[in-house]
Amino acid sequence: MLTIVFRAVIIYAVVLCLYRLMGKRQLGEMQPFELVLTLIIADLATIPMAEVSVPVLHGIVPLLTLVVMHYFLTIFSKLSSKFSSFLSGKPVIVINPEGIDYKALKNLDISVDDVFEAIRGCGYFKIEQIQYAIMETNGKMSVLPKSSFAPVTVQDLNLQAEKSTIPITIISEGKINKDNLKNAKIDEMKVQEILKKAGVKKVKDVLLMTIDKAGTIYLQKFHEKYQTLQIKPLGQVQE
Amino acid sequence: MTKYGWIKLFSIFVLIGILVAVCVVEDRLVITSLDRVNRFCYEIESAVEKNGGIVNGEVASLVDNLEYQWEKDESSLCFMVNHKSIEQLAVEIVRLKTYIDEEEPIEFYVSLDIIKNYVETFQHFMGASFHNIL
């Protein structure tokens, strides 16, 4: 059993490293060749893990081969759009201003119900609300609504909106994130000062503290309701 | 190319290097180990012929050496080759010893032939060739 434990650890570490090497796409929306790769990797990894007579190398070597192959396929598909479309296919317009393109549906081998399901997933329940719907190469549907059904934006209303900023996490679960302190261009002294102002004695009492460029602080202690504070705009907070 | 791109390229070349190294090491290890076993088999055969039977010190010593050498090689081969596909050799070597003790020359020759045949066919089944790939 101990052998299997160590084998599982080794295979896990190798597969983890390989996925890191292949990039984040493998974790989310995949192209067909990436999906194939993921399926094979899952299968290959389990064989030497459970079968003690099979050397771990018998699992690792094909994994490495696949990753090298994947790397070169990715490079070639970047270099040649023809190769890329051969490998991953092309996005296909399934709904155009004239309605559903039945020929495109037939080519994709999907039904009208599938199209409906996909557009509902994008938040639209009527075909007539849609100008274009495109089936992407990763199998997801992208929808462009007709302008009369598009969500209203601040620009449409001619309003002045404050610049959006991303809140930076300063304290998470009682621990100060020192990298984010640098990003927010504040120091621990300033954090202590803010906490004191909010009536918090120790950093470890804080569940979450974030700060944004406008100087708005979200502060929540463990098992307590959050509070917001306002300090001077930071100006130099990274967006 | 970005720093990440260079790191990735470097990693891929390292992986290619590892793959080539593993393939070469496996090939050399298998050929060397099986050649050694084959040589021992022919030495045992000639020792049996020379001494007119299997029950003598020279044959016993050669079989012991074969067993010792194979155990040594087997532990390295287990990193590269499926253990199940080479365990037959160890079994037959142990049988050789038993047949010497029990003075059974026919079974001894059968086991020796199995080992020789195994060594010769292993490359045929496991080596890199077109029909093995397909």
Side-chain angles (χ1 to χ4, degrees):
Chain A
M1 270 310 159
L2 193 64
T3 314
I4 294 174
V5 171
F6 280 116
R7 278 167 168 255
V9 171
I10 293 168
I11 297 283
Y12 179 77
V14 170
V15 174
L16 191 67
C17 291
L18 295 182
Y19 269 98
R20 289 287 296 119
L21 195 64
M22 285 190 289
K24 288 199 195 303
R25 274 165 67 117
Q26 260 56 42
L27 307 175
E29 292 149 9
M30 287 181 280
Q31 298 296 335
F33 74 101
E34 293 165 334
L35 177 69
V36 171
L37 186 79
T38 305
L39 292 175
I40 299 176
I41 284 180
D43 204 38
L44 279 174
T46 52
I47 299 167
M49 218 187 271
E51 185 65 59
V52 183
S53 64
V54 178
V56 175
L57 271 178
H58 277 207
I60 294 174
V61 167
L63 287 177
L64 297 187
T65 311
L66 288 176
V67 171
V68 170
M69 224 171 86
H70 173 262
Y71 178 79
F72 286 110
L73 282 180
T74 313
I75 295 274
F76 291 142
S77 61
K78 274 180 193 166
L79 292 176
S80 157
S81 55
K82 276 186 183 169
F83 185 73
S84 174
S85 54
F86 166 73
L87 213 57
S88 309
K90 281 179 180 173
V92 178
I93 297 173
V94 288
I95 298 175
N96 55 37
E98 290 171 12
I100 295 172
D101 186 341
Y102 187 65
K103 201 178 160 192
L105 292 196
K106 280 280 157 204
N107 288 342
L108 289 169
D109 203 16
I110 56 171
S111 65
V112 175
D113 289 340
D114 294 329
V115 174
F116 260 107
E117 194 180 320
I119 63 168
R120 281 199 298 270
C122 297
Y124 298 94
F125 288 79
K126 291 177 182 172
I127 294 273
E128 59 267 30
Q129 292 177 321
I130 295 164
Q131 184 85 1
Y132 285 102
I134 301 165
M135 181 62 87
E136 304 292 355
T137 54
N138 58 19
K140 298 242 169 176
M141 185 85 82
S142 301
V143 170
L144 176 73
K146 285 182 179 159
S147 38
S148 50
F149 294 100
V152 179
T153 62
V154 174
Q155 201 179 10
D156 294 333
L157 300 171
N158 287 326
L159 294 174
Q160 282 286 329
E162 275 182 33
K163 212 173 174 185
S164 313
T165 58
I166 299 169
I168 297 172
T169 304
I170 302 297
I171 303 172
S172 173
E173 295 183 40
K175 285 176 190 151
I176 293 182
N177 186 323
K178 290 189 177 162
D179 289 335
N180 284 354
L181 275 185
K182 279 182 205 161
N183 289 338
K185 305 255 165 56
I186 58 172
D187 54 15
E188 283 191 43
M189 290 281 284
K190 179 75 180 169
V191 174
Q192 294 291 355
E193 197 182 297
I194 294 165
L195 291 180
K196 200 175 168 187
K197 202 170 150 188
V200 181
K201 286 177 188 167
K202 292 171 187 169
V203 172
K204 66 177 182 183
D205 296 336
V206 179
L207 174 64
L208 181 68
M209 176 181 158
T210 65
I211 188 165
D212 66 14
K213 192 178 179 182
T216 308
I217 294 164
Y218 174 99
L219 183 67
Q220 185 174 359
K221 286 168 77 178
F222 283 99
H223 314 296
E224 280 186 26
K225 194 176 179 291
Y226 74 89
Q227 53 181 308
T228 52
L229 298 135
Q230 189 65 45
I231 59 166
K232 280 180 193 170
L234 296 174
Q236 289 173 310
V237 174
Q238 276 192 357
E239 283 178 38
Chain B
M1 200 188 277
T2 60
K3 191 182 164 192
Y4 177 72
W6 283 112
I7 292 171
K8 202 169 173 180
L9 187 66
F10 175 74
S11 311
I12 292 298
F13 278 108
V14 169
L15 293 188
I16 294 172
I18 291 171
L19 286 174
V20 171
V22 167
C23 292
V24 171
V25 168
E26 188 211 12
D27 203 48
R28 295 315 309 155
L29 205 62
V30 170
I31 289 173
T32 317
S33 308
L34 294 184
D35 272 355
R36 205 175 283 143
V37 172
N38 210 16
R39 228 178 307 123
F40 265 113
C41 287
Y42 283 108
E43 278 176 30
I44 291 168
E45 254 184 355
S46 27
V48 172
E49 276 175 28
K50 197 174 83 184
N51 295 295
I54 58 168
V55 189
N56 63 74
E58 193 184 355
V59 175
S61 155
L62 279 170
V63 173
D64 281 343
N65 284 347
L66 171 63
E67 189 187 27
Y68 170 75
Q69 197 59 52
W70 176 246
E71 273 175 12
K72 230 168 80 178
D73 289 344
E74 196 185 21
S75 54
S76 320
L77 279 173
C78 281
F79 286 111
M80 305 280 178
V81 183
N82 190 333
H83 196 90
K84 275 184 185 161
S85 64
I86 53 170
E87 68 183 0
Q88 181 69 24
L89 266 179
V91 173
E92 293 304 330
I93 291 169
V94 171
R95 277 185 185 153
L96 285 180
K97 291 176 80 177
T98 316
Y99 296 142
I100 293 173
D101 293 341
E102 292 173 0
E103 296 181 31
E104 289 177 3
I106 297 169
E107 279 82 356
F108 181 87
Y109 271 112
V110 170
S111 273
L112 204 60
D113 281 342
I114 290 173
I115 295 173
K116 273 157 61 184
N117 182 55
Y118 183 88
V119 167
E120 277 157 21
T121 52
F122 189 85
Q123 285 295 348
H124 178 70
F125 289 119
M126 301 297 285
S129 65
F130 187 65
H131 57 263
N132 279 349
I133 290 169
L134 293 179

